Amino acid sequence: MKPTKDYEIMLFKAERDYQSGKVLYENELEEGAIYHYQQAAEKALKAFLIFNKNKVPKTHDLTSVLDICIEFDSKFETLYDACEKLTPYATIFRYMDTGYGLTPTHDIVDEAKNEAFTILQFVKNEIID
């Protein structure tokens, strides 16, 4: 089914970012994978805001976006740790070595994948319910 509503489009984009992350990870492109996992989580949270007819902030800081989601539904508080972990991955491996190395380890990417999946599924369940 083709997404037609703005929140459906944003959720579709979130799912595509998640799938892109998986493909990159399978091809040992960890820095690209972790970025797409962060983006999947970001777009999922923003889809929830759009669903609730709220203005979407222009930020990659997932905890800031999450704070707004919590205003609509306190259950989102359970995602705080995941958002805190994923937020830096929007930038730290995309440019020069920022002290974290040139690429993330497999363990870090695996954790990011799981955190992104958790956020994506949580938002999908909240929008569908």
Side-chain angles (χ1 to χ4, degrees):
M1 181 169 77
K2 183 179 177 185
T4 57
K5 298 176 182 165
D6 288 345
Y7 76 88
E8 292 173 333
I9 293 167
M10 187 65 86
L11 202 52
F12 173 81
K13 293 289 188 177
E15 291 173 336
R16 296 294 281 204
D17 269 318
Y18 185 79
Q19 294 302 322
S20 295
K22 286 175 63 174
V23 169
L24 289 166
Y25 184 61
E26 290 165 3
N27 287 284
E28 298 180 11
L29 297 167
E30 292 87 357
E31 66 278 7
I34 205 163
Y35 168 75
H36 282 284
Y37 291 141
Q38 186 280 340
Q39 285 291 291
E42 180 180 325
K43 289 174 184 157
L45 293 171
K46 289 179 177 180
F48 179 77
L49 294 180
I50 294 167
F51 177 77
N52 284 287
K53 298 176 179 32
N54 194 72
K55 185 177 178 185
V56 176
K58 291 186 179 185
T59 182
H60 296 299
D61 183 344
L62 300 184
T63 57
S64 295
V65 179
L66 182 66
D67 286 339
I68 302 168
C69 293
I70 290 168
E71 292 175 18
F72 290 97
D73 187 340
S74 63
K75 289 185 283 188
F76 274 81
E77 290 177 0
T78 62
L79 300 177
Y80 189 82
D81 287 343
C83 288
E84 198 170 50
K85 289 175 187 171
L86 287 171
T87 291
Y89 303 142
T91 58
I92 65 171
F93 295 109
R94 301 207 31 93
Y95 301 100
M96 299 297 289
D97 185 355
T98 56
Y100 295 93
L102 296 176
T103 62
T105 66
H106 286 287
D107 289 342
I108 290 172
V109 180
D110 280 338
E111 181 181 42
K113 177 183 173 186
N114 293 335
E115 301 290 12
F117 182 80
T118 297
I119 292 170
L120 186 55
Q121 291 305 116
F122 186 94
V123 169
K124 286 168 68 173
N125 289 337
E126 291 302 304
I127 289 175
I128 293 169
D129 285 350

